[in-house]
Amino acid sequence: MKIPLLDIVKMHAPIRGELLAAMTEVLDSGSYINGRYVERFETQLAEHAGTRRAVGVTSGSDALIVAMMALGVKPGDEVVTSAFTFFATAGAIVRLGAKPVFVDIDPVTFNIDPARIEDSITDRTVGIMPVHLFGQSADMDKINAAARKHGVWVLEDAAQSIGALYKGRMCGAMGTAGTYSFFPAKNLGGIGDGGAVVTNDDELADKMLVIREHGSKPKYHHKVVGGNFRLDALQAAVLSVKLPHLREWEEKRRKAAATYAELLAGNDLYVPPVEVRDCRHVFNQYELRVGQGKRDTAASKLRDADMGHAIYYPIPLHLQECFAGLGYKRGDLPVTEKMCDEVLAVPILVDADACKEVVSVLQTV
Ligand SMILES: *Cc1c(COP(=O)(O)O)cnc(C)c1O
């Protein structure tokens, strides 16, 4: 492909030697499950997030599940969240027997609209799960204020926003707990699956350590039912090598974002993403809005030019077939539904020349 949406192999090339050395070290250590590589990465990650604790787990999806298990989520509970996100956000809630209550989003940030949260809180609400979508923080002061007022927890789904800042604080570190995904295409990706939960609550972190080991503590004594939710030592070692480089990749993404915004300035067909005040956007995805019903035309032009692109997300979660039982219908979340028809992601971890080529194709629409 001429310009892929994300070229992970190319991204790894400058650190290939470091990665191979780290993987070889794990291979030769025999320490494959838990142990020093996982602990080292958890320490590094907590330091990066500015939290007391980090707990490595199997994936970003399981991070949500483990965190909610530790928070005591049970069948019938309600969790307020967004429908404009990856499936796992709501999937995790439903897998615990709880009910996602979807709130519409802000069209500028694509994140949950804090002004609409309080209307969705009922006697059964136990928490709010904001998603920091595409690399930019949700409005955490307002979300935390609503949670405090109603005595519920906040679990930040920061799968796409490790390193993003809100008023100087890290996404994931502002709520009761926050989750990250190390899926390869996330800003900090492993070479396979992985995830983590960060928190300042020691008691919650200790519960998660037990839950990720089948609830076993001491060994073979089970006070709670957990599961196998462990982060692989091999992934932890790879992530320890990559974390110190995260900032450079973020800067490259931010530079490309600035280039796109400059090239598209004055074009009334495309609305580039906006970095809002007090936020540092890390552009896990660079999501344009395409007006005049031309999104699919723009996507096919990029396809013909052999350039990467994607639609995150074509179907909002409240209209997914598996959630039909929740009783939502088209029209319930108008902003979310409109975004699903307009958004188009273009390559972002690229240099200025690639941005120019992408924009030159977009300008032919
Ligand atoms: C990627 C992602 C997840 C799930 O992470 P996995 O590691 O793929 O399980 C959850 N929420 C959001 C918003 C994501 O983008």
Side-chain angles (χ1 to χ4, degrees):
M1 185 169 252
K2 195 165 176 210
I3 305 174
L5 189 60
L6 178 66
D7 189 342
I8 305 180
V9 172
K10 186 174 164 194
M11 183 182 176
H12 286 158
I15 55 168
R16 190 168 180 276
E18 267 183 278
L19 289 170
L20 285 174
M23 288 190 274
T24 305
E25 192 185 325
V26 175
L27 179 66
D28 293 343
S29 75
S31 179
Y32 304 153
I33 301 289
N34 295 336
R36 56 185 182 273
Y37 301 107
V38 174
E39 281 164 22
R40 179 182 64 187
F41 174 64
E42 287 173 337
T43 304
Q44 263 176 293
L45 183 65
E47 205 166 289
H48 181 265
T51 53
R52 290 180 51 81
R53 303 284 291 275
V55 177
V57 295
T58 23
S59 68
S61 306
D62 283 348
L64 293 168
I65 288 182
V66 168
M68 282 192 286
M69 285 172 81
L71 287 162
V73 171
K74 55 186 190 317
D77 288 349
E78 291 181 2
V79 179
V80 173
T81 191
S82 167
F84 192 57
T85 173
F86 179 61
F87 180 78
T89 307
I93 297 168
V94 172
R95 283 186 62 193
L96 293 175
K99 184 180 155 191
V101 174
F102 295 118
V103 168
D104 214 352
I105 55 170
D106 172 333
V108 173
T109 63
F110 304 114
N111 288 322
I112 193 165
D113 182 349
R116 298 172 193 264
I117 288 177
E118 286 207 47
D119 285 345
S120 303
I121 291 180
T122 72
D123 302 346
R124 290 180 298 278
T125 307
V126 293
I128 305 171
M129 197 194 288
V131 182
H132 305 302
L133 204 69
F134 305 145
Q136 178 156 255
S137 182
D139 192 342
M140 287 305 293
D141 279 353
K142 289 188 185 142
I143 292 165
N144 280 334
R148 260 195 308 277
K149 184 169 161 195
H150 295 275
V152 300
W153 46 255
V154 175
L155 178 60
E156 303 173 64
D157 182 344
Q160 302 182 7
S161 293
I162 189 168
L165 299 176
Y166 173 86
K167 299 188 179 174
R169 286 173 297 160
M170 284 275 176
C171 277
M174 295 176 276
T176 313
T179 63
Y180 298 129
S181 162
F182 308 124
F183 180 79
K186 300 295 160 81
N187 278 17
L188 179 66
I191 51 164
D193 280 311
V197 188
V198 291
T199 182
N200 287 312
D201 183 335
D202 283 316
E203 201 183 317
L204 193 66
D206 290 338
K207 275 188 193 165
M208 293 189 284
L209 289 178
V210 176
I211 288 167
R212 81 169 178 196
E213 290 284 341
H214 289 290
S216 169
K217 193 189 179 179
K219 210 167 185 184
Y220 303 122
H221 292 71
H222 301 262
K223 281 203 195 76
V224 295
V225 179
N228 175 355
F229 294 117
R230 294 181 297 255
L231 176 67
D232 283 351
L234 194 60
Q235 296 305 333
V238 164
L239 293 165
S240 282
V241 169
K242 290 186 72 175
L243 183 55
H245 295 278
L246 183 58
R247 191 79 193 210
E248 297 154 37
W249 292 317
E250 287 167 0
E251 287 306 322
K252 190 165 181 194
R253 289 170 187 272
R254 289 176 56 79
K255 217 168 140 194
T259 304
Y260 277 128
E262 207 173 291
L263 294 168
L264 288 167
N267 186 317
D268 53 12
L269 190 56
Y270 300 100
V271 183
V274 176
E275 181 176 61
V276 297
R277 242 183 70 175
D278 297 326
C279 284
R280 177 174 183 267
H281 200 317
V282 293
F283 297 100
N284 176 242
Q285 299 296 345
Y286 189 81
E287 208 83 20
L288 293 164
R289 284 175 57 191
V290 189
Q292 301 167 24
K294 295 275 181 60
R295 192 264 311 274
D296 295 340
T297 313
S300 63
K301 294 264 187 189
L302 289 172
R303 188 178 319 114
D304 293 346
D306 203 25
M307 292 179 191
H309 58 279
I311 294 167
Y312 304 115
Y313 295 90
I315 304 171
L317 297 189
H318 69 295
L319 301 180
Q320 293 291 346
E321 202 175 327
C322 64
F323 294 149
L326 296 172
Y328 288 92
K329 57 183 187 317
R330 191 165 287 281
D332 284 345
L333 302 174
V335 182
T336 296
E337 292 163 26
K338 184 172 156 70
M339 294 307 119
C340 289
D341 292 336
E342 291 188 355
V343 288
L344 181 65
V346 294
I348 185 63
L349 194 63
V350 292
D351 59 21
D353 288 338
C355 295
K356 280 179 201 144
E357 289 190 60
V358 169
V359 169
S360 70
V361 172
L362 292 175
Q363 280 166 339
T364 65
V365 174

